[in-house]
């Protein structure tokens, strides 16, 4: 079982002494899951990732998450589960129950302020470490550091940072879709250009063949003219010979 040591300063009755206490974190029963890859896969398939925000009973921190989503809000199904965040046992029970739900992602979200340490308790650690669903934590302010962050599948310094992350994932998928559409359009134009080029080559070949035939036709014509001339010469000789015979016969008479 992994061990992490957390050193705190405490005032003792005898004076200022530094006392070290050991913090034993539970072992994760499931390897950490890639939350970004999970959301990308769902969005690429056209599915709507479902996320449940575990927030305080009167908290408005969910607005911080949604504010950073902007136009990407419609790409997620986002529900809320309200619980007393000062009650670590109650939080742990909610996390265990949501681990058996249909949600794709469970997010434990809270702003900074007093009582934040209640979420850094063994009960919450155990619930996060053993949750069948991926768990995201976005707790406190950027300066706050909690042990539960090391057990979550993904941790964000603030609720707003989590909202920004969700928005960036949607933008990434939209960029991919635009690029894929542009590639498809370019591929279609390329195929059309190739078809047109093929048709032009075929037309050029047809014209070349026609020209070749036309170039061959004058030779045939010349041969026919020469044959006719030769035949005409023969007939002329025959005619002249006949005429001479006729003249000779006429003179004899």
């Amino acid at each position: 079982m992994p061990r992490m040591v957390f050193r705190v300063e405490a005032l003792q009755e005898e004076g200022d002494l530094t006392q070290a206490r050991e913090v034993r974190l539970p072992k994760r029963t499931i390897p950490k899951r890639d939350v970004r890859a999970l959301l990308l896969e769902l969005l690429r398939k056209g599915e709507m990732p479902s996320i449940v925000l575990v927030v305080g009973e009167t908290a408005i921190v969910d607005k911080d998450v949604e504010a950073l989503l902007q136009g990407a809000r419609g790409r997620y199904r986002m529900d809320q589960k309200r619980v007393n965040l000062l009650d670590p046992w109650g939080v742990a029970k909610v996390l265990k129950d949501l681990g058996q739900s249909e949600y794709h992602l469970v997010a434990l979200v809270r702003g900074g302020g007093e009582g934040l340490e209640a979420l850094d308790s063994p009960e919450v650690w155990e619930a996060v470490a053993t949750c069948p669903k991926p768990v995201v934590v976005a707790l406190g302010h950027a300066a706050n550091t909690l042990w539960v962050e090391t057990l979550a599948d993904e941790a964000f310094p603030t609720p707003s940072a989590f909202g920004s992350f969700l928005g960036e994932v949607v933008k990434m998928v939209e960029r991919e879709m635009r690029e894929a559409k542009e590639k498809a359009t370019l591929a279609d134009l390329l195929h059309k250009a190739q078809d047109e080029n093929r048709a032009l080559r075929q037309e050029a070949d047809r014209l070349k063949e026609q020209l070749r035939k036309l170039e061959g036709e004058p030779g045939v014509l010349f041969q026919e003219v020469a044959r006719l001339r030769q035949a005409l010469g023969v007939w002329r000789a025959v005619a002249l010979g006949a005429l001479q015979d006729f003249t000779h016969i006429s003179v004899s008479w």
Side-chain angles (χ1 to χ4, degrees), residues 22 28 39 60 64 71 73 89 107 118 127 130 136 156 162 165 170 173 181 189 192 207 222 227 229 249:
E22 292 185 348
R28 284 184 58 97
L39 297 176
I60 58 172
D64 294 336
R73 177 63 182 86
W89 292 274
T130 59
V136 164
F156 297 91
F162 176 48
F165 164 78
V170 171
V173 173
K181 186 176 180 180
L189 291 174
K192 288 182 178 179
L207 292 174
F222 292 152
R227 187 184 67 78
R229 285 179 176 175
I249 293 172

Side-chain angles (χ1 to χ4, degrees), residues 77-96:
R77 171 193 167 189
M78 195 170 293
D79 298 333
Q80 299 174 17
K81 180 65 176 179
R82 295 191 174 273
V83 63
N84 180 6
L85 296 182
L86 296 178
D87 177 14
W89 292 274
V91 174
K93 183 179 184 307
V94 167
L95 292 176
K96 289 179 180 179

Side-chain angles (χ1 to χ4, degrees), residues 113-128:
E114 295 181 359
L116 194 61
E117 65 278 359
L119 297 175
D120 222 10
S121 64
E123 295 80 14
V124 178
W125 294 345
E126 185 70 26
V128 171

Side-chain angles (χ1 to χ4, degrees), residues 168 170-181:
E168 285 300 321
V170 171
K171 290 179 181 178
M172 183 181 300
V173 173
E174 290 176 345
R175 282 195 300 268
E176 291 177 353
M177 293 176 64
R178 285 196 303 270
E179 291 174 357
K181 186 176 180 180

Side-chain angles (χ1 to χ4, degrees), residues 154-220:
E154 191 73 58
F156 297 91
T158 63
S160 296
F162 176 48
S164 179
F165 164 78
L166 295 177
E168 285 300 321
V169 171
V170 171
K171 290 179 181 178
M172 183 181 300
V173 173
E174 290 176 345
R175 282 195 300 268
E176 291 177 353
M177 293 176 64
R178 285 196 303 270
E179 291 174 357
K181 186 176 180 180
E182 291 173 356
K183 288 181 179 178
T185 300
L186 290 174
D188 185 54
L189 291 174
L190 178 60
H191 290 155
K192 288 182 178 179
Q194 290 174 340
D195 291 341
E196 291 176 358
N197 186 45
R198 190 178 301 109
L200 288 173
R201 287 201 305 267
Q202 291 174 351
E203 180 65 13
D205 292 340
R206 188 187 67 79
L207 292 174
K208 288 180 180 178
E209 178 63 20
Q210 187 176 3
L211 179 60
R212 186 187 65 78
K213 290 180 179 180
L214 290 175
E215 289 175 344
E217 286 179 359
V220 174

Side-chain angles (χ1 to χ4, degrees), residues 44-83:
R44 285 167 180 161
K45 292 191 297 186
E47 297 184 26
M48 180 179 289
S50 57
I51 303 172
V52 56
L53 303 180
V54 180
V55 297
E57 293 175 321
T58 60
I60 58 172
V61 71
D62 54 293
K63 303 300 181 183
D64 294 336
V65 176
E66 295 189 11
L68 271 295
L69 281 170
Q70 299 180 356
R73 177 63 182 86
R75 302 296 297 275
Y76 294 100
R77 171 193 167 189
M78 195 170 293
D79 298 333
Q80 299 174 17
K81 180 65 176 179
R82 295 191 174 273
V83 63

